[in-house]
Amino acid sequence: MKSDLLLSILLLLQTRGRVPAHELADRLEVSVRTIYRDIEALSASGVPVYAERGRHGGIELLAGFRTDVTGLTADESRALFILAAQGAHAALGLDAALGSALRKVMAALPAPDRPAAEVTSRRILVDATRWKGGPQRAVDLEVLQDAVFADRRLRLGYRHGGHAEPSTYTVDPYGLVSKAGVWYLVADRGGQPRLFRADRVRSATLLGDPVKRRPGVELGDVWEVLRRQVEERPGGLDVTVRVRRSRLDMFLRLNAASLAALPEDDGESEWVLAHLSYGVVREARTLLAFVDTVEVLSPPEARAELARPAAAIGAVYGGDRAPHEGS
């Protein structure tokens, strides 16, 4: 609707100050001609907005002009009350601020839209954490946040998976990302993008040096590169296993992220065939949680990776409990 576009322009100018017409057009997905037409409409309605042409020109509001109108539609107001689990806000120390902000939004909504927004907050919940994720180490994001917002470099003591002792790195942070309930620091190390799990950070020191980010690169750009590296990394390992039917439901819940295909299940056999995919062979060790009910059929390197720890578990608990071929 035209009124929504006019309000979007007004709120962007109020938030950003002077904005070039082409940038407004890109953000609102309209033509520059439409932007200038709507600026004239705003001016005609009494909004003190003007445009300056030239290399450093743009569109802006008269200094000091503010509007308190939210302009939220019914659907927009409902969308604001569908929030992720409180854990993300608590980790950032923003729980109280979130509650206060939502109360202000509720007060600013038109009276007819308030009941729908309130019902939405009570009927819809987005929980970003995984089922049976297991206990996680407490994460202190305070220093990481300080570095991100102060644009300062960080010295990290960081323990990689499979390493007993942490390594020390100096990094240039772009920001923090919460992915499925796990916090990550996105940063450059030596000019190259790197991902650091916050729960593996053993120490973090804010340095006096200003951050050295690559020009024109934003958090979203770096995260996209790193995300693709994780999801599309070559050299993956395809593992075939068979699972006792009595533990199949739990096996599928805990290994959902690694399943390459739905299990081959005839609904009757004691054993069910399943196919999984891992980035490296070491990741197959997660199957040790099912050492007594899962048998690795292939490849040989996955069987070898699990053989010694599986035997050790069997010795601790009084014999070889792992299933054998032909059983």
Side-chain angles (χ1 to χ4, degrees):
M1 293 176 62
K2 181 179 176 66
S3 59
D4 288 339
L5 180 58
L6 292 175
L7 185 59
S8 295
I9 294 173
L10 177 59
L11 294 177
L12 277 172
L13 294 177
Q14 184 170 292
T15 303
R16 300 279 306 278
R18 180 178 296 183
V19 183
H22 68 83
E23 184 176 331
L24 283 173
D26 290 342
R27 293 195 57 160
L28 299 174
E29 298 181 347
V30 297
S31 67
V32 172
R33 181 178 178 181
T34 297
I35 291 296
Y36 280 119
R37 183 198 66 199
D38 289 345
I39 291 301
E40 291 179 1
L42 283 172
S43 180
S45 66
V47 176
V49 59
Y50 63 96
E52 283 192 6
R53 300 187 182 278
R55 181 178 179 183
H56 301 291
I59 299 167
E60 64 181 308
L61 296 169
L62 189 66
F65 175 80
R66 304 288 295 177
T67 176
D68 292 329
V69 63
T70 64
L72 293 173
T73 66
D75 285 344
E76 289 168 345
S77 62
R78 292 177 64 191
L80 288 177
F81 284 84
I82 300 177
L83 298 171
Q86 297 294 311
H89 304 98
L92 296 171
L94 294 175
D95 265 358
L98 173 66
S100 175
L102 289 179
R103 286 191 295 272
K104 291 177 180 178
V105 170
M106 182 68 79
L109 289 176
D113 294 339
R114 292 175 191 170
E118 184 178 2
V119 168
T120 298
S121 69
R122 291 160 46 198
R123 298 290 182 267
I124 305 294
L125 173 67
V126 179
D127 187 343
T129 57
R130 294 180 179 177
W131 289 113
K132 303 289 184 180
Q136 293 187 1
R137 181 177 180 271
V139 178
D140 184 358
L141 297 177
E142 183 176 355
V143 177
L144 304 185
Q145 281 191 85
D146 289 345
V148 166
F149 290 117
D151 290 334
R152 302 267 289 281
R153 306 188 94 186
L154 268 174
R155 181 176 292 116
L156 297 180
Y158 186 79
R159 188 189 67 78
H160 293 276
H163 293 243
E165 298 298 325
S167 301
T168 301
Y169 303 116
T170 297
V171 301
D172 297 291
Y174 284 90
L176 294 165
V177 173
S178 178
K179 172 74 169 173
V182 179
W183 282 99
Y184 294 90
L185 174 71
V186 176
D188 276 355
R189 179 165 67 86
Q192 297 299 314
R194 295 289 184 267
L195 201 58
F196 299 92
R197 275 184 60 143
D199 59 358
R200 291 183 181 171
V201 173
R202 295 297 179 260
S203 64
T205 304
L206 193 65
L207 303 180
D209 302 331
V211 71
K212 297 179 180 178
R213 301 187 185 109
R214 284 167 284 148
V217 179
E218 298 291 338
L219 171 62
D221 304 322
V222 186
W223 171 251
E224 183 64 16
V225 170
L226 293 169
R227 184 189 62 79
R228 287 183 177 178
Q229 288 178 359
V230 172
E231 295 178 355
E232 302 171 7
R233 57 189 172 190
L237 181 74
D238 294 327
V239 176
T240 301
V241 303
R242 63 175 190 163
V243 188
R244 286 192 187 275
R245 178 177 300 283
S246 60
R247 297 291 299 280
L248 181 61
D249 286 346
M250 181 175 290
F251 174 84
L252 294 178
R253 286 200 302 270
L254 295 183
N255 293 278
S258 302
L259 284 176
L262 292 175
E264 300 173 19
D265 186 5
D266 60 11
E268 298 178 357
S269 303
E270 179 185 358
W271 295 91
V272 178
L273 207 62
H275 302 278
L276 305 108
S277 180
Y278 298 102
V280 293
V281 67
R282 186 176 63 251
E283 293 178 0
R285 291 195 173 194
T286 58
L287 296 174
L288 290 171
F290 296 88
V291 67
D292 57 338
T293 53
V294 171
E295 180 184 3
V296 177
L297 302 179
S298 66
E301 55 265 38
R303 292 173 59 88
E305 179 72 18
L306 299 180
R308 183 175 296 177
I313 291 173
V316 169
Y317 289 97
D320 185 0
R321 301 173 59 196
H324 298 282
E325 292 184 24
S327 60

